[in-house]
Amino acid sequence: MSAINYQFYLLAQSAGDAAKETAEQTREIVSKITTGKIAQGVFILLAAYLTLKILDKLVLWLSERIAKEWRLRVKQFLPFLRMIVLTTATVVLMNLFLNLSKENILAVTGTVAVALGFAFKDFASSIIAGIVGLFESPYGVGDRIKIGEHYGEVVSYGLRSVQIQTPNDNIVTIPHNKIWTEALSNSNAGALEAQVVTEFYFAHEIDVNLVRKILYRVAQTSKYTALKLPIAVVMTEKPWGSSFKLKAYPLDARDEFIYQTDLTVRAKCAFAKHKLSYPRMFDVENKNIS
């Protein structure tokens, strides 16, 4: 046998030995797959899916039928319950199809980590951010948040993403990894109330003290106002007129836009009675209102 042929023989033998070793390792990690195990696996997946659906409906149903101050606290349990169900299902499936010795667990963990790192980088990043979010709590179910250009109430907290319901009743799904790169604004952070800012504009010659009294009174007498929280009227001067911001809290953050409408309608009725003048159209069109 020539030297070249002998080298090829050694290479082929090495490749064959490596393939045999890989096959042996695979057989050691993966247990014997039978029809019964497949049926059990399908049953576990269906059970986990149904459990998640039941949990979602049960927790949301319960949160809407208890005292308002407990509604958001009950909803906060939903992400943790979902994570427990998913983790349990994953562990049971791994025990069913894998021989989970100490060495095999390390091998599977390393393989999965490499696969996720290269093939599912964004997916893995979203899951990690979701798990971190459970403990840091930048938002939870029931919170009113803004991520990027999207604003609304958090209605679902999944392992990979969060779903918010916008004021236009659209459901927007946002991956958790957006918290790494996007600014996040949370209006109520688990509280039932969230501040609502209502803006009003007037000409320079109006009675400033009268406007402040009217706005304060309008907020104080609204049936939606949480009177235990502060009411503030803030004024700034603009080239085109005077800008007023009425800052107050509704009893329930869900009433944000109904509350804002109630304040605006009742305030405008009071302004009309006192014949308070608004900025002239020429000034508004040629100046930037901010």
Side-chain angles (χ1 to χ4, degrees), residues 7-170:
Q7 289 178 353
F8 277 116
Y9 170 76
L10 291 177
L11 289 173
Q13 189 175 23
S14 299
D17 293 341
K20 288 179 181 179
E21 185 178 352
T22 302
E24 288 176 0
Q25 289 176 349
T26 302
R27 282 194 295 270
E28 288 177 2
I29 295 175
V30 180
S31 63
K32 185 178 180 180
I33 298 176
T34 63
T35 305
K37 286 186 176 182
I38 294 175
Q40 290 180 51
V42 172
F43 175 78
I44 292 168
L45 290 173
L46 288 175
Y49 176 79
L50 291 175
T51 302
L52 289 174
K53 290 297 182 183
I54 292 171
L55 278 176
D56 287 347
K57 292 186 179 298
L58 180 62
V59 172
L60 294 178
W61 176 85
L62 180 62
S63 67
E64 297 298 334
R65 282 162 178 76
I66 61 175
K68 276 186 176 183
E69 56 268 22
W70 289 97
R71 188 185 72 222
L72 295 186
R73 295 182 185 180
V74 170
K75 286 184 175 181
Q76 302 301 328
F77 283 105
L78 187 55
F80 290 96
L81 293 175
R82 290 174 64 90
M83 186 177 69
I84 291 172
V85 172
L86 291 171
T87 302
T88 302
T90 301
V91 171
V92 172
L93 286 171
M94 290 178 69
N95 277 317
L96 186 63
F97 292 104
L98 302 176
N99 296 317
L100 295 179
S101 65
K102 183 178 179 181
E103 294 76 12
N104 291 342
I105 289 175
L106 293 175
V108 170
T109 303
T111 303
V112 171
V114 172
L116 290 176
F118 287 97
F120 303 101
K121 182 178 66 174
D122 293 335
F123 185 80
S125 176
S126 294
I127 291 178
I128 293 171
I131 294 173
V132 171
L134 286 176
F135 298 97
E136 290 191 353
S137 299
Y139 47 72
V141 179
D143 287 351
R144 305 186 71 81
I145 66 172
K146 183 176 182 181
I147 300 179
E149 61 181 12
H150 301 294
Y151 172 76
E153 179 183 350
V154 177
V155 294
S156 177
Y157 189 114
L159 193 61
R160 186 194 68 86
S161 62
V162 62
Q163 289 186 329
I164 65 172
Q165 185 173 23
T166 69
N168 293 328
D169 206 26
N170 296 324

Side-chain angles (χ1 to χ4, degrees), residues 216-227:
Y216 191 89
R217 184 63 177 165
V218 163
Q220 194 177 43
T221 56
S222 174
K223 64 180 181 180
Y224 298 101
T225 301
L227 295 175

